[in-house]
Structures are given as C-alpha cells and as structure tokens.
C-alpha cells in the first residue's frame, strides 16, 4: 500500500497498528515495539513480521479481545489487555527511559474462573431447524497443545515444529470425538445419538467459581445459546443414567416436519418413504435438549428416556422454566404416563 498521500496523524495511527511500511528503522531498531490491534480480524503474526522488518526485536500487542489466545510470532511478543495497556501508556509517557522485558510463557494452574466461553466461540441461534438448540456442547479449544507437521510455514512463524499450540473449533472437535470414542468403547451397543445424549446430559454449566460459565474477554453473562448443554465432563459421560435416544426413522419424522417431501427423502435414503400425517412436531425429536422456536399459548413436548444404569433407581423430573414460561401441569404427572422406561 502507498501511504504517501495520507497526512501525518493518519500515518501515526497506521504505525500504531504496526502496518507494513509505517515503522521507521531509526525509531524502532533494537527496540520492543508497542502495537495496537485495529480490528478483531487483524493478522497479528504479520504485525510481528513488520516490526522485525523495521529492525524491532520484540512486540507488545494491545489486544483486549484476544489477550488470552496464543499466537506464533516471528520475534518475542506478548498480548496485553486494556488495563495493562493503560498502565503501560502511563509508564511510557512519564519515564524518560522506559525499558521492557518479555519473559518466557509460564503455566498458570487452577486459574479462576474456568472454563470460560472463548471470545471466538460460535453462538446460536440455529438458523436451519430453529427447534434444535445450537451449540450442543462446549469443549476445550483455546491454546491446545497438539502434534503438528514439521513443515515450516507462515502459521508457525517459519519455524519447523513437531508440536504447536492453536485455538478453534478444530481443537475442541477432537476432544468431543475422543470422548465419543471412549463412551462407545465402554458401551459398544450404544447408538451415536445415545452417545451424544450421554455427553450432553452430563455436561456442566458451572465454572470452578460456582457461577454460570462466563464469556471471554469481559466475563459477560451467557445462556445455552453460548454453551449448549455446557462444558463436557468425560468421566460423567460414561455413566449418564438416563439416555435420550433416536434412530434414523425419528430423523425422517424430523425432516418431514422441516419441509422434506417423499422425493427429497428418496434422494437421501434411496428408498420410497412417506411423511406421517399429521407430522411429528419438530420439537418432539427425542433430542437431549428441548428447544421450541415459536410458542404462542401452550405446548406439550414429548421425550422418552431409557435407563442404562445398574440396579433400581428413582428419578424425579425437575423443570427450571425459561423466563416468561409457566409450567401448566406438574411434570411428575406427565412422567407417570409411563414414558419413563426402566
Ligand atoms: C510489505 O511491503 C513491501 C514493500 O512495499 C511488499 O513487498 C510486501 O509484499 C508487503 N508485505 C505484506 C505482507 O503485505
Ligand atoms: C467468584 O465469584 C464471586 C461471587 O460471585 C465473585 O465476587 C468473584 O469475583 C469471583 N471470582 C473470580 C475470580 O471470578
Ligand atoms: C435429487 O438429487 C438430484 C441430484 O443431486 C437433484 O438434482 C434433485 O433436485 C434432487 N431432488 C429433490 C426433490 O431434492
Ligand atoms: C397467538 O394466538 C392467538 C390465539 O390463537 C392469536 O390471536 C394471536 O394472533 C397469536 N399471536 C401470534 C404472535 O402468533
Ligand atoms: C410420545 O412419544 C411416544 C414414544 O415415541 C409415543 O408413543 C407417544 O404417543 C407420544 N405422545 C405424544 C403425546 O405425542
């Protein structure tokens, strides 16, 4: 980009974002440079290459949104939040000879509160079938250490590494996949939906400070649209007690209530199938969470649970009403209609 037609204050702004060709060698040579993120989508690694190109030896990036997410930089670098940035600015502007040291990363154990929803974690609502709450589940996905191809690429700051630390759905997905495999190895006869149910119904919505899981970066309040059924608990998933199961015919019913017709079903299954008339309501799919996208008046929702524990047990149903919703009849009456199988 050619910056020559911008005035001086704009240029200063561009160099505070550590953009390409805005950092003067005479000013930053041998120094640790303070940079600011411009937008959440900034290429943070690239800023470190521009600092290095200008002769800088380190970078402090003011990045309140992503301050807890690890990135690979080409020079020693660290991310700081807004409070630290204010302290830093005060120090830089008052001290005649400000100095900085970037220490190696250390491990902090038992930090509180944890877990938290990552700043970049996708949220519902579900835009396709709105009666199915999304997400289903939350799992670790920030700064995950895992094996990595030794081919040096831009992603690893041009270094060849056997392990790397990255963040995203691509990191939480293998956690859930492995937990599904563990549940399957313990319960080989369980269907995919039973395994999903076990994982979802045993998840927790509480953090280690006994409050509802919060969302990064500012600790904002969350709802099931952030975490689904909650943060996964692998050990509890092995013994969920009750399971919400469904099979391929239930999926057909669900597709029928979401606009599938016999021609579409034939395309999908290769078999001639017809939809039930009247169709089973979408919210009656025996899913391990209950979502009703539009409600006017009252609605009855049907779920069937199967007991997979050992020995006789008594379960009591308990409902926490979403705000603005009343339960019209005691849930126990509903359950005594013989829907709870043992
Ligand atoms: C930075 O600017 C230089 C010179 O203008 C150019 O050659 C280079 O491709 C730019 N780098 C990036 C990553 O934009
Ligand atoms: C833990 O919870 C208490 C009570 O809600 C709150 O005052 C405190 O700030 C929380 N601690 C952390 C580290 O979030
Ligand atoms: C069935 O699949 C074919 C090939 O993908 C497609 O062209 C056709 O529109 C589909 N029919 C229906 C009813 O979805
Ligand atoms: C809700 O149902 C009532 C009675 O059936 C109807 O008069 C009203 O228009 C409905 N409201 C909405 C938002 O659909
Ligand atoms: C609820 O589901 C069960 C099992 O699929 C079924 O037998 C029953 O008729 C359903 N009840 C209602 C009210 O839909």
């Amino acid at each position: 980009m050619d910056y020559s037609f911008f005035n001086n204050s704009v240029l200063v702004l561009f160099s505070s974002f550590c953009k390409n060709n805005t950092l003067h060698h005479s000013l930053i040579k041998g120094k640790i440079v303070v940079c600011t993120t411009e937008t959440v989508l900034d290429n943070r690694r690239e800023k470190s290459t521009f600092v290095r190109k200008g002769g800088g030896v380190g970078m402090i990036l003011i990045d309140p949104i992503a301050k807890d997410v690890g990135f690979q930089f080409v020079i020693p670098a660290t991310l700081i939040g807004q409070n630290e940035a204010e302290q830093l600015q005060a120090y830089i502007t008052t001290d005649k000879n400000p100095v900085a040291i970037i220490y190696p990363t250390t491990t902090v154990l038992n930090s509180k509160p944890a877990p938290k929803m990552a700043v970049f974690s996708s949220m519902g609502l579900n835009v396709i079938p709105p009666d199915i709450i999304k997400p289903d589940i939350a799992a670790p996905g920030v700064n995950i250490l895992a094996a990595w191809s030794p081919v040096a690429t831009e992603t690893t700051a041009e270094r060849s590494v056997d392990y790397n630390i990255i963040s995203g759905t691509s990191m939480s997905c293998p956690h859930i996949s492995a937990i599904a495999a563990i549940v399957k190895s313990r319960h080989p006869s369980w269907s995919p939906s039973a395994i999903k149910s076990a994982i979802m119904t045993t998840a927790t919505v509480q953090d280690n400070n006994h409050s509802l899981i919060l969302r990064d970066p500012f600790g904002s309040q969350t709802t099931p649209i952030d975490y689904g059924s909650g943060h996964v608990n692998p050990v509890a998933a092995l013994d969920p007690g009750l399971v919400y199961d469904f099979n391929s015919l239930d999926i057909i019913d669900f597709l029928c209530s979401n606009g599938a017709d016999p021609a579409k079903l034939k395309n999908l299954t290769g078999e001639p199938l017809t939809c039930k008339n009247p169709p089973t309501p979408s919210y009656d799919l025996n899913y391990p969470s209950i979502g009703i996208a539009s409600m006017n008046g009252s609605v009855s929702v049907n779920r069937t649970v199967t007991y997979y524990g050992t020995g006789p047990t008594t379960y009591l149903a308990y409902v926490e009403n979403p705000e603005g919703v009343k339960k019209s009849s005691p849930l126990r009456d509903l359950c005594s209609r013989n829907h709870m199988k043992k």
Side-chain angles (χ1 to χ4, degrees):
M1 181 164 180
D2 179 6
Y3 295 112
S4 53
F5 54 88
F6 289 106
N7 71 28
N8 209 38
S9 61
V10 173
L11 280 181
V12 168
L13 185 64
F14 284 162
S15 36
S16 76
F17 296 140
C18 296
K19 286 174 178 276
N20 199 6
N21 304 321
T22 66
L23 300 167
H24 291 285
H25 187 75
S26 58
L27 292 174
I28 73 166
K29 183 176 180 301
K31 296 198 168 156
I32 294 177
V33 179
V34 179
C35 304
T36 307
T37 40
E38 185 179 13
T39 77
V40 72
L41 298 174
D42 272 12
N43 185 337
R44 294 162 173 87
R45 190 183 325 117
E46 202 177 64
K47 289 182 193 299
S48 72
T49 65
F50 299 148
V51 170
R52 183 179 64 178
K53 188 175 136 194
V57 295
M59 177 177 76
I60 297 172
L61 183 60
I62 300 172
D63 198 345
I65 300 294
K67 67 181 164 61
D68 293 327
V69 182
F71 296 92
Q72 278 68 36
F73 297 107
V74 297
I75 47 174
T78 187
L79 267 53
I80 62 172
Q82 199 55 48
N83 292 343
E84 298 83 35
E86 279 159 23
Q87 288 174 33
L88 180 66
Q89 293 295 354
Y91 171 64
I92 292 178
T93 48
T94 54
D95 198 284
K96 280 203 195 69
N97 185 28
V99 292
I101 301 174
I102 297 173
Y103 290 105
T105 303
T106 58
T107 304
V108 179
L109 297 175
N110 307 316
S111 85
K112 277 190 178 182
K116 292 179 284 182
M117 294 310 296
V119 63
F120 54 78
S121 186
S122 296
M123 289 174 69
L125 299 169
N126 187 346
V127 291
I128 306 167
D131 286 322
I132 302 291
I133 296 170
K134 290 288 165 180
D136 286 316
I137 190 79
V142 176
N143 301 338
I144 306 298
L145 175 68
W148 191 261
S149 157
V151 177
T153 63
E154 204 212 333
T155 314
T156 54
E158 299 139 31
R159 290 184 290 257
S160 168
V161 292
D162 293 327
Y163 295 90
N164 196 3
I165 292 178
I166 66 168
S167 303
T169 309
S170 53
M171 294 290 96
S172 48
C173 175
H175 281 90
I176 294 293
S177 308
I179 292 164
I182 293 167
V183 175
K184 181 73 178 173
S185 68
R186 178 73 77 89
H187 306 286
S189 67
W190 285 14
S191 69
S193 48
I195 294 170
K196 176 174 186 148
S197 170
I199 290 173
M200 285 172 63
T201 60
T202 55
T204 175
V205 298
Q206 259 196 14
D207 65 22
N208 61 0
N209 195 30
H210 306 292
S211 70
L212 203 60
I213 294 172
L214 302 171
R215 181 175 272 270
D216 261 347
F218 304 119
S220 45
Q221 292 296 315
T222 51
T223 71
I225 304 304
D226 294 270
Y227 48 68
S229 292
H231 191 259
V232 66
N233 181 340
V235 175
L238 291 173
D239 186 18
L242 299 176
V243 160
Y244 299 76
D245 207 350
F246 54 86
N247 61 26
S248 51
L249 293 176
D250 300 316
I251 299 279
I252 299 294
D253 286 345
F254 176 75
L255 294 175
C256 286
S257 62
N258 281 277
D261 55 36
K264 286 185 183 142
L265 292 175
K266 178 130 202 297
N267 251 11
L268 181 70
T269 64
E271 285 167 35
L273 289 164
T274 50
C275 287
K276 278 183 196 154
N277 192 6
T280 307
S282 190
Y283 50 73
D284 269 350
L285 174 66
N286 205 41
Y287 208 75
S289 63
I290 296 175
I292 301 163
S294 91
M295 185 170 154
N296 181 12
S298 70
V299 61
S300 298
V301 183
N302 198 6
R303 286 292 184 276
T304 304
V305 288
T306 310
Y307 178 59
Y308 277 102
T310 47
T313 316
T314 303
Y315 282 92
L316 296 177
Y318 170 73
V319 170
E320 222 175 288
N321 303 327
E323 211 174 307
V325 177
K326 283 189 304 209
K327 51 184 164 180
S328 57
S329 57
L331 197 79
R332 276 235 238 167
D333 292 357
L334 298 177
C335 294
S336 66
R337 280 197 279 164
N338 212 10
H339 291 164
M340 259 196 187
K341 290 190 215 154
K342 277 220 172 162

